[in-house]
Amino acid sequence: MTTLGVNIDHIANVRQARKTVEPDPVQFAFLAELGGADSITVHLREDRRHIQDRDVFLLRETIKTKLNLEMAATEEMLAIAKKVIPDYVTLVPEKREEVTTEGGLDVKNKKEYLKNFVKNLKDSNIEVSAFIDPFSDQITSSKEIGFDFIELHTGKYAELSGYEQLEELQRIIESSYEANDLGLVVNAGHGLNYNNVKEIASINNMNELNIGHSIVARALAVGLEKSVREMKSLIFSN
Ligand code: PXP
């Protein structure tokens, strides 16, 4: 059965817009779990633009599902992961100037560095996933490096339409079979929403989908009317 990992970075984005204490992603992780989230994902970025170190440590103590720490393969992040001990780490590429993760991690061209990095995490009992584009050479390299999981990048699939989208879906399906045959557990994510998720969720042996933006956007859509009503009633009761 395919499970759902909920990425709560956008909750922290709203908090950091004011550099205040609300909304607190730790509280929203609890609500996501109430809604059925099977894991909670946070990306601790080098520039700390949304999730803060404090969030990661508190989530480790408070969530009842699994903690997926997304991070770049840097020494700074390795040291933090080894203190937090998330259930798993997903290694992603990171550029300071990007709005969100662009493209998968090029594991093929960093094999030796990543072998040591992954081993170091696994020695601390942390499972490790690689966020990669759905290409055969990236899949075989992920296996060689020693990753337990891969997360197939669905961003391109999400952006395309019509025949091109079907072609990209086919590439993702074939990649997931190839990875499974090699013994890798297959996750997928990026850009998935209420209109395009079903095709990806129905891929055989799809383990987990990681979804953030569309879920947080939907939360605003279903919650804003109530929050305005509550404010209005406070103003009226004076
Ligand atoms: N997976 C990875 C590796 C990501 O970097 C992100 C975005 O932070 C997601 C999944 C979730 O993507 P989205 O917010 O578009 O659902």
Side-chain angles (χ1 to χ4, degrees), residues 7 9-10 43 70 90 92 100-101 131 151 189-192 210-214:
N7 180 314
D9 293 349
H10 277 359
H43 183 175
E70 256 182 43
T90 301
V92 297
T100 181
T101 314
F131 181 57
E151 180 175 332
H190 215 282
L192 296 178
N210 273 310
I211 308 181
H213 183 88
S214 63

Side-chain angles (χ1 to χ4, degrees), residues 96-178:
R96 262 185 184 261
E97 63 278 14
E98 70 192 356
V99 174
T100 181
T101 314
E102 292 168 358
L105 184 65
D106 181 6
V107 296
K108 190 179 114 193
N109 284 315
K110 293 192 194 79
K111 269 193 219 159
E112 287 317 307
Y113 177 77
L114 286 175
K115 263 185 198 165
N116 283 328
F117 201 90
V118 168
K119 182 177 180 308
N120 213 327
L121 287 166
K122 286 170 87 163
D123 286 348
S124 295
N125 281 329
I126 303 167
E127 293 188 293
V128 196
S129 178
F131 181 57
I132 55 169
D133 290 319
F135 298 135
S136 187
D137 53 358
Q138 297 294 343
I139 293 165
T140 49
S141 301
S142 299
K143 178 67 188 174
E144 274 175 52
I145 290 165
F147 283 100
D148 306 286
F149 301 76
I150 55 164
E151 180 175 332
L152 291 172
H153 192 332
T154 51
K156 197 165 168 205
Y157 158 80
E159 274 172 19
L160 293 169
S161 60
Y163 181 70
E164 286 179 333
Q165 188 179 46
L166 285 178
E167 265 187 341
E168 184 63 16
L169 176 62
Q170 197 53 36
R171 197 193 314 280
I172 293 169
I173 293 171
E174 280 162 19
S175 297
S176 75
Y177 291 162
E178 184 182 350

Side-chain angles (χ1 to χ4, degrees), residues 11 28 31 194 212-227:
I11 308 291
F28 282 79
L31 293 179
Y194 295 82
H213 183 88
S214 63
I215 291 178
V216 176
R218 178 81 187 137
L220 292 177
V222 297
L224 192 66
E225 188 180 330
K226 184 162 184 251
S227 64

Side-chain angles (χ1 to χ4, degrees), residues 168-202:
E168 184 63 16
L169 176 62
Q170 197 53 36
R171 197 193 314 280
I172 293 169
I173 293 171
E174 280 162 19
S175 297
S176 75
Y177 291 162
E178 184 182 350
N180 262 174
D181 287 346
L182 291 173
L184 290 161
V185 179
V186 179
N187 298 335
H190 215 282
L192 296 178
N193 61 35
Y194 295 82
N195 298 316
N196 64 19
V197 72
K198 275 198 169 177
E199 290 78 0
I200 301 291
S202 60

